[in-house]
Every structure is written in structure tokens, then in C-alpha cells.
Amino acid sequence: MIEIVIPGYGDVKIAHIVMDYNGTMACDGIVLDNLREITDILSKKVDLHVITADTFGIAEEQLKDFPVSLSILPESSQDKAKLMYVEQLGCDNCVAIGNGRNDSAMLEAAKIGIVLLQEEGAAVKSTMAADIMCRDLRSALSLFTEHKRLTATLRS
């Protein structure tokens, strides 16, 4: 678990980081470079989850050497399925990371929602639902290894 006290925001106790796959951890189905080291570090403190409809059908192969739990969701009602996933883990101890319109509900429900603006862009609905916007997944995950960055962003 990662515990951080953020002035004006409160105590943050994170046990799970839930990430979308395409547009977040991958582009065109292929895992982005330079994520292995940070996922290895974080997996020793929190459970890492990847949820996807697996549009390209290769998520399992791409993630086989990563310390993550992969859940392939049905293609319909993605937004509801992602929200339910975060709710089952417990919203108060989850970080949700995504970029697509179907990520907005989980971003809003999680203790900390992070929207990414990478190659696929970011849906405005998800941008408005998030607490933080980052330029890439590595930057977003680094907020939980370099806690002062997270504190600087969320404190009041």
C-alpha cells in the first residue's frame, strides 16, 4: 500500500492502480516503451490492473512479462464494466488511469483519476472527470514513486 498525506486533499491510501490498455499502456495494441522498470517498482507496493476490450487481440501476449492482472472486458458497456471493476476493488483505495470516453466513470469514482494525453488523445468527458492530467503513463505512475510530485499537484 502507498500512503500519502496531501494537505487540503486528505490521506491517500492506495492499494490498486487500474489502467486502461489501448491509449494508456499501449498504442495500436503494442505496449509503450520504458514501462517495465516503473511497473516492477510499483508492483511491490500496490496491485496493478489492466482492463481492456483488447481491440487488437494481443494484450495478453504484450503483457505476459509485466507484473499486472489483466481483465478482458466485453465490448459492450465498457464504461459501466470499468466502473464496476474499480467499485469492486474499493474506490477509496484505487487510482484509475485512462484516456478514452469509456474511462470517465472510473476516473471520477476512483480516489485519484488520471487522464493521459498521448497519441490517441484524451476524451473531454474523461478529462473533466479526472483529478490530474499527465502527458504519458510513465509520468502518471511516477507520481506514486515520487510522492512530492503528487502532493504538489493535489494540495490546496
Side-chain angles (χ1 to χ4, degrees):
M1 182 169 293
I2 296 171
E3 297 184 40
I4 308 165
V5 176
I6 302 173
Y9 190 84
D11 295 348
V12 175
K13 295 179 181 181
I14 301 301
H16 305 279
I17 297 177
V18 179
M19 300 170 278
D20 175 46
Y21 185 66
N22 283 304
T24 299
M25 192 168 193
C27 183
D28 299 329
I30 307 299
V31 172
L32 300 171
D33 292 333
N34 74 11
L35 294 177
R36 186 53 194 254
E37 181 182 358
I38 191 117
T39 56
D40 284 346
I41 291 167
L42 283 172
S43 71
K44 292 174 175 63
K45 298 178 180 186
V46 297
D47 293 327
L48 302 175
H49 306 262
V50 176
I51 54 179
T52 181
D54 199 13
T55 304
F56 295 92
I58 57 174
E60 186 173 3
E61 174 65 25
Q62 286 288 303
L63 294 170
K64 70 180 179 188
D65 295 325
F66 280 82
V68 300
S69 299
L70 173 64
S71 292
I72 298 177
L73 305 173
E75 288 190 34
S76 63
S77 301
Q78 283 279 297
D79 55 344
K80 291 178 183 146
K82 290 178 176 187
L83 174 60
M84 285 177 47
Y85 192 95
V86 169
E87 288 175 337
Q88 288 174 352
L89 294 173
C91 295
D92 285 342
N93 64 3
C94 278
V95 169
I97 305 174
N99 74 305
R101 187 170 162 260
N102 63 4
D103 297 322
S104 65
M106 76 168 181
L107 293 174
E108 187 169 0
K111 180 68 175 179
I112 299 174
I114 303 174
V115 69
L116 303 180
L117 184 56
Q118 299 183 126
E119 286 82 1
E120 283 189 11
V124 171
K125 185 175 182 179
S126 290
T127 300
M128 298 303 292
D131 299 294
I132 300 170
M133 176 185 279
C134 288
R135 65 176 181 229
D136 57 48
L137 183 57
R138 183 161 177 69
S139 298
L141 294 175
S142 294
L143 294 171
F144 302 95
T145 60
E146 304 298 330
H147 301 166
K148 290 186 181 191
R149 293 178 187 172
L150 184 65
T151 300
T153 300
L154 291 179
R155 70 179 168 214
S156 59

